[in-house]
Amino acid sequence: MSVLAELVRVLHLSDDQRDHLFEPAGKEAGRARRRAPQKAHPRLRTVLNELSVAPGVILGRHLDILA
């Protein structure tokens, strides 16, 4: 994977930001594939919904809040 594509992935850049990054390098931004957003597993959501005494949170692999 190219360095620019890795930067796009790590920084979670939008499509416009990705295009802006690739433009000065003279590269096509279309090659950098974006991953689908991570979603909380339905079973974890069920557990979270059943919590009534304490608040809870489900975090993704990049520590983003999924639920």
Side-chain angles (χ1 to χ4, degrees), residues 19-66:
D19 294 342
H20 186 73
L21 178 67
F22 275 76
E23 187 177 325
K27 305 256 183 196
E28 286 292 320
R31 288 189 226 153
R33 284 189 267 158
R34 299 202 60 143
R35 290 186 181 184
Q38 188 178 8
K39 296 183 180 178
H41 192 280
R43 289 184 188 160
L44 286 176
R45 284 186 158 282
T46 301
V47 170
L48 187 64
N49 291 334
E50 295 295 321
L51 290 175
S52 59
V53 179
V57 67
I58 300 173
L59 299 175
R61 64 180 156 262
H62 299 292
L63 299 179
D64 48 336
I65 298 173
L66 302 179

